[in-house]
Amino acid sequence: MIKDNFGRPLNSLRIQLNATCNFKCFFCHMEGTEENTKTMSLEEIEKVIKAASQLGVKRIKFTGGEPLLRRDILEIIKVTRKYIDGDISLTTNGYFLEGMAVKLKEAGLNRVNISLHAMTPESFKTITGIGSLNIVKEGAKAAVRAGLNPVKLNMVILKGINDGQIFQLLDFAREIGAMVQFIELESPREKEKEEWFRRFHVSLDFIEDLLKPYLKGIEYNPLHKRRILILDYNGSELKVEIVNPHRNHDFCMNCTRLRITSTGSVQTCIHRPDQRISIDYNNTSESLIVATKMREPYW
Ligand code: SAM
């Protein structure tokens, strides 16, 4: 296992499989990258995962763009399973999930995060640019049926758009047997003063206040030490993860991952595109080690 200069081990990779998406969420951070049609090949992805596993990486998260737009997504998961015994997960907009959930599970995927940023068709379209709320909801149900576990429903909270839909999302999660992840709107520090960010950003504290009457326990996701609220919600146990990276020292000190961009670079942090190095596929381990040693908390 390797550690960065702040004592943080490297134990997971967040791999951006493409930088194109069929949704157009107006707030999308693009994983700290720019829109691009270049992608890594299956062979290049395999080299990265093999090297990472030899360095002690136990968890792989695939993201995008939209990872399910990759025609070789099942091969990518299968090849990942050759090297990773632990957690393989994927974040998706859910649009293609209904027909793919079983195949993804069979390929070796453990779990899935589904972006479900609104619970009314109008606000869903305002956020994503696409009127496909029901397609995504069906995708979420199919993921639960396929045995992907847990299925996390991700909602980025946007003031004045979806901050009044907290309980609608909880109701849906309870109904289908999923869990919920509320995410605070993120932006690099230098953009936090911009009008759009100030207009839509809201701290997640109000959600924790809303959920207090249902609270029966708290767990932690070791990644970023994110709080997971265990709720007794209308007779069912429901888990709600809170992701608030803003000025959060615990978040940074418990960050144990590197990011791989769709163009084949290693990036140390979503907010540090200036700390991005091209992968040398002839010495992939070295590229991962160099990037690990560059990591520093972002606060
Ligand atoms: N297309 C997939 C999706 O929609 O989930 C994967 C890519 S998306 C960039 C990955 C995750 O980042 C999603 O859960 C999305 O909601 C979240 N996200 C995007 N922009 C964000 C922002 N500005 N702040 C916080 N989370 C954001």
Side-chain angles (χ1 to χ4, degrees):
M1 181 204 290
I2 53 168
K3 291 188 176 175
D4 67 16
N5 296 334
F6 295 82
R8 301 174 298 179
L10 171 69
N11 59 29
S12 71
L13 286 190
R14 186 171 175 102
I15 303 180
Q16 184 192 36
L17 290 179
N18 52 18
T20 49
C21 187
N22 52 322
F23 282 24
K24 296 284 164 256
C25 301
F26 70 86
F27 57 85
C28 186
H29 53 32
M30 291 291 295
E31 305 284 346
T33 69
E34 306 77 37
E35 201 155 340
N36 200 304
T37 51
K38 187 169 175 257
T39 53
M40 284 186 290
S41 66
L42 179 62
E43 292 69 31
E44 289 168 342
I45 294 168
E46 177 167 7
K47 283 186 181 173
V48 171
I49 290 168
K50 183 176 178 191
S53 71
Q54 287 165 350
L55 292 173
V57 164
K58 304 265 184 280
R59 293 163 57 128
I60 302 287
K61 158 81 76 189
F62 292 111
T63 181
E66 173 46 45
L68 297 189
L69 281 173
R70 279 207 54 149
R71 290 172 195 276
D72 55 357
I73 185 68
L74 297 176
E75 283 71 37
I76 292 172
I77 309 258
K78 280 183 201 154
V79 108
T80 305
R81 192 44 89 202
K82 271 172 48 184
Y83 303 100
I84 301 289
D85 296 332
D87 186 43
I88 307 176
S89 65
L90 178 146
T91 298
T92 173
N93 62 34
Y95 189 84
F96 301 105
L97 202 49
E98 187 177 5
M100 291 186 70
V102 170
K103 289 182 204 139
L104 288 164
K105 171 74 183 168
E106 285 169 358
L109 191 72
N110 294 110
R111 60 188 183 84
V112 73
N113 287 36
I114 303 167
S115 292
L116 188 49
H117 300 308
M119 295 306 289
T120 69
E122 300 73 31
S123 39
F124 192 87
K125 184 145 193 223
T126 305
I127 291 170
T128 64
I130 305 266
S132 50
L133 173 60
N134 280 336
I135 295 175
V136 175
K137 285 169 84 175
E138 290 307 314
K141 290 180 195 168
V144 174
R145 279 198 305 272
L148 293 164
N149 187 18
V151 170
K152 289 190 192 178
L153 305 177
N154 287 6
M155 183 183 269
V156 174
I157 299 300
L158 301 160
K159 187 166 58 185
I161 300 188
N162 62 10
D163 53 347
Q165 299 177 20
I166 305 300
F167 288 107
Q168 279 163 276
L169 183 62
L170 296 187
D171 290 344
F172 179 65
R174 174 181 173 274
E175 178 195 322
I176 69 169
M179 68 175 278
V180 168
Q181 184 163 255
F182 290 117
I183 305 174
E184 191 165 326
L185 184 65
E186 262 196 271
S187 146
R189 261 195 305 259
E190 59 279 11
K191 295 198 173 158
E192 283 179 2
K193 292 200 169 57
E194 288 181 7
E195 201 275 328
W196 82 270
F197 185 81
R198 284 190 288 128
R199 181 160 157 214
F200 295 113
H201 175 257
V202 56
S203 151
L204 300 188
D205 292 353
F206 84 96
I207 295 184
E208 299 203 45
D209 288 343
L210 279 178
L211 300 186
K212 245 177 221 156
Y214 305 94
L215 192 63
K216 67 169 187 170
I218 297 184
E219 286 174 0
Y220 288 93
N221 179 343
L223 178 69
H224 302 143
K225 206 170 174 200
R226 303 169 180 189
R227 278 188 308 292
I228 301 175
L229 311 180
I230 320 281
L231 307 186
D232 180 357
Y233 188 67
N234 300 334
S236 302
E237 183 179 286
L238 186 63
K239 291 188 177 183
V240 176
E241 189 162 337
I242 305 286
V243 185
N244 53 345
H246 282 265
R247 310 277 184 265
N248 183 344
H249 291 199
D250 277 342
F251 190 93
C252 284
M253 285 319 296
N254 293 280
C255 181
T256 49
R257 70 186 178 190
L258 281 174
R259 293 168 166 270
I260 308 295
T261 72
S262 62
T263 53
S265 292
V266 200
Q267 188 166 319
T268 59
C269 167
I270 190 168
H271 297 311
R272 297 298 304 267
D274 58 313
Q275 286 193 340
R276 190 189 286 171
I277 55 170
S278 289
I279 296 169
D280 173 0
Y281 293 106
N282 293 317
N283 197 351
T284 312
S285 303
E286 186 59 20
S287 301
L288 296 174
I289 292 168
V290 170
T292 301
K293 293 301 176 191
M294 285 164 67
R295 296 179 82 238
E296 53 191 11
Y298 183 82
W299 62 55

